[in-house]
């Protein structure tokens, strides 16, 4: 039986040595459904001589909304799985999220328009009712006779 490894031990490693405000990165996330990647931009680096933390804005795809934007704070005691990212990668990811956001807004606007039209139809029927413009159709009440009898 031949076994293959997804990650080879001989892979080239790129290590992030310094993070500064404005730096971009990729972060590996693991949750109940598996792994995903978030792209981030460092917004500030905090250091008081003893403790360190970074703040960042992270962008990722999300199953229900199409995209998610979060402000994050990572303290020095948190083990992060962050990786080098290029400015071009971040820009491409943001372009994709922009398209996803545009689609979500267009869909919501269409849904809103449909609901507003239904509300307007209801308001019209209510206006007729309030103005006593509704009438009952003429009808006859009687016993129904079966056609097969």
């Amino acid at each position: 039986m031949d076994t293959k490894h997804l990650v080879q031990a001989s892979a080239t490693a790129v290590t992030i040595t310094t993070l500064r405000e404005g730096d971009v990165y990729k972060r590996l996330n693991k949750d109940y459904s598996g792994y995903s990647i978030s792209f981030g931009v460092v917004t500030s680096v905090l250091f008081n001589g003893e403790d360190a933390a970074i703040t960042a804005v992270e962008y990722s795809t999300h199953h229900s909304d199409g995209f998610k934007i979060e402000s994050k704070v990572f303290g020095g005691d948190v083990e992060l799985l962050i990786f080098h990212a290029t400015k071009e990668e971040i820009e491409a990811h943001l372009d994709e999220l922009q398209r996803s956001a545009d689609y979500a807004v267009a869909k919501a606007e269409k849904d809103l328009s449909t609901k507003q039209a239904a509300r307007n139809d209801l308001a019209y029927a209510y206006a007729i009712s309030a103005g006593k413009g509704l009438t009952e159709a003429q009808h006859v009440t009687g016993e129904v006779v079966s056609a097969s009898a």
Side-chain angles (χ1 to χ4, degrees), residues 44-126:
S44 68
V45 177
L46 310 170
F47 183 65
N48 65 6
E50 187 176 324
D51 299 313
I54 65 166
T55 62
V57 175
E58 287 191 349
Y59 310 89
S60 59
T61 55
H62 193 258
H63 61 278
S64 63
D65 298 330
F67 64 95
K68 183 166 62 171
I69 301 171
E70 293 181 291
S71 292
K72 294 286 195 173
V73 177
F74 301 108
D77 60 341
V78 175
E79 188 173 327
L80 295 175
L81 295 173
I82 63 172
F83 303 92
H84 175 263
T86 65
K87 186 178 115 173
E88 290 77 18
E89 281 181 290
I90 297 291
E91 289 171 347
H93 186 70
L94 291 176
D95 287 345
E96 181 183 327
L97 291 178
Q98 182 65 52
R99 285 189 296 278
S100 180
D102 291 344
Y103 174 78
V105 167
K107 183 177 180 309
E109 286 173 343
K110 183 179 177 184
D111 291 347
L112 177 61
S113 177
T114 301
K115 287 175 176 39
Q116 286 174 328
R119 182 187 63 193
N120 291 342
D121 291 346
L122 178 60
Y124 175 72
Y126 183 74

Side-chain angles (χ1 to χ4, degrees), residues 25-31 34-39 58 79-83:
Y25 64 87
K26 292 182 275 198
R27 186 167 68 87
L28 184 63
N29 306 301
K30 183 175 183 340
D31 61 17
Y35 289 96
S36 64
I37 294 285
S38 295
F39 289 86
E58 287 191 349
E79 188 173 327
L80 295 175
L81 295 173
I82 63 172
F83 303 92

